[in-house]
Amino acid sequence: IRAAYASLCWALDVMYAGRPIERFWILETVARMPYFVYISMLHLYESLGWWRAGAELRKARRSSRAELSGSLHVHFAEEWNELHHLQIMEALGGDLRWGDRFLAEHAAVFYYWALVLIYLISPAASYQFMEMVEGHAADTYAEFAEQNRERLQAIPPPLVALAYYKSGDLYLFDQFQTSWKAAGELRRPRCNNLYDVFINIRDDELEHVKTMAACQ
């Protein structure tokens, strides 16, 4: 798992040096796949009668380990979050090159089936791999935001970011806030400029890390 993670990070760092927005767009394209896998595999397990979750488990009202590991609703909310990250990067021009789109879409298909195989062998290993990937993404966003703070603070946020963080479906947004739910609080991020947007994405990724850790 760690070798695969290190190889993925190295490849992205080398191929997209000096092209951060395109790199983020590819990351977000691929980042949606694990949540599709988790939802698909949980449906498969239930359909085959191998494992079934009760109605309360699906609602994911609490953030216990058992609940998170079986919650289709939490994984859907996480995928919904990654979709909006992807749309933000598209608004910033991350998908303009055909070569980037070709690479991202084919990598996403490969990544999906690779994670299906890993999940069949060990669900915990699948969650562990995603925990490391999300952690790397959070570090990358944080580094980019701090290195470009002044420039980003002078740029208004994309409309898709405003719609998601300020006027979107906050019910789904709240579903994957693992640490905030545990503290009994609601996370309501600022979105006044592009710097805020990247900080929000970083914080989203950190919440994914905590959720993936709880699922193992």
Side-chain angles (χ1 to χ4, degrees), residues 121-160:
I121 298 171
S122 171
S126 179
Y127 286 122
Q128 180 189 22
F129 181 76
M130 194 57 187
E131 178 190 356
M132 291 188 291
V133 171
E134 295 285 21
H136 177 73
D139 292 341
T140 304
Y141 279 118
E143 181 180 359
F144 176 79
E146 292 309 314
Q147 289 178 349
N148 299 275
R149 178 193 289 262
E150 293 185 4
R151 181 185 302 177
L152 295 174
Q153 287 177 334
I155 302 174
L159 292 178
V160 64

Side-chain angles (χ1 to χ4, degrees), residues 61 109 124 179 183:
R61 290 179 177 173
V109 172
S179 61

Side-chain angles (χ1 to χ4, degrees), residues 88 155-166 188-198 200:
I88 289 169
I155 302 174
L159 292 178
V160 64
L162 282 172
Y164 179 65
Y165 288 111
K166 305 305 290 185
R188 293 295 179 261
R190 297 173 52 185
C191 195
N192 298 325
N193 50 57
L194 197 54
Y195 176 78
D196 289 343
V197 172
F198 276 98
N200 292 343

Side-chain angles (χ1 to χ4, degrees), residues 115-127:
L115 278 179
V116 166
L117 179 60
I118 295 173
Y119 199 100
L120 281 170
I121 298 171
S122 171
S126 179
Y127 286 122

Side-chain angles (χ1 to χ4, degrees), residues 9 12 37 76 78 116 125 154 174 212:
C9 293
L12 287 172
V37 170
F76 177 79
E78 290 177 304
V116 166
D174 291 337
M212 294 298 99

Side-chain angles (χ1 to χ4, degrees), residues 2-216:
R2 292 188 180 277
Y5 160 75
S7 299
L8 175 64
C9 293
W10 177 83
L12 287 172
D13 289 343
V14 171
M15 294 176 62
Y16 285 91
R19 299 178 60 208
I21 302 301
E22 291 83 354
R23 183 175 187 271
F24 292 145
W25 181 79
I26 288 181
L27 275 174
E28 298 300 345
T29 300
V30 174
R32 300 174 65 200
M33 296 304 109
Y35 304 114
F36 288 143
V37 170
Y38 303 149
I39 292 170
S40 298
M41 295 305 294
L42 289 170
H43 273 301
L44 175 64
Y45 285 1
E46 289 199 27
S47 298
L48 296 177
W50 293 352
W51 185 86
R52 290 177 181 168
E56 288 303 311
L57 193 62
R58 291 180 185 275
K59 292 180 182 178
R61 290 179 177 173
R62 298 174 298 278
S63 58
S64 67
R65 174 179 175 179
E67 187 170 283
L68 285 170
S69 65
S71 176
L72 301 174
H73 196 83
V74 169
H75 291 326
F76 177 79
E78 290 177 304
E79 187 280 321
W80 188 249
N81 175 254
E82 298 289 10
L83 170 62
H84 284 82
H85 292 177
L86 178 65
Q87 291 175 336
I88 289 169
M89 296 309 148
E90 288 175 351
L92 298 176
D95 65 334
L96 295 181
R97 294 190 181 183
W98 179 87
D100 293 334
R101 296 195 300 272
F102 180 89
L103 175 63
E105 290 160 6
H106 285 75
V109 172
F110 174 80
Y111 191 45
Y112 177 91
W113 288 108
L115 278 179
V116 166
L117 179 60
I118 295 173
Y119 199 100
L120 281 170
I121 298 171
S122 171
S126 179
Y127 286 122
Q128 180 189 22
F129 181 76
M130 194 57 187
E131 178 190 356
M132 291 188 291
V133 171
E134 295 285 21
H136 177 73
D139 292 341
T140 304
Y141 279 118
E143 181 180 359
F144 176 79
E146 292 309 314
Q147 289 178 349
N148 299 275
R149 178 193 289 262
E150 293 185 4
R151 181 185 302 177
L152 295 174
Q153 287 177 334
I155 302 174
L159 292 178
V160 64
L162 282 172
Y164 179 65
Y165 288 111
K166 305 305 290 185
S167 61
D169 189 344
L170 296 180
Y171 173 75
L172 282 177
F173 180 76
D174 291 337
Q175 290 306 302
F176 71 92
Q177 305 298 328
T178 303
S179 61
W180 289 76
K181 289 168 68 177
E185 300 177 0
L186 292 176
R187 178 182 162 217
R188 293 295 179 261
R190 297 173 52 185
C191 195
N192 298 325
N193 50 57
L194 197 54
Y195 176 78
D196 289 343
V197 172
F198 276 98
I199 293 300
N200 292 343
I201 295 175
R202 177 206 64 187
D203 292 344
D204 291 346
E205 304 295 359
L206 289 173
E207 290 301 318
H208 292 316
V209 169
K210 295 166 187 173
T211 304
M212 294 298 99
C215 286
Q216 294 174 39

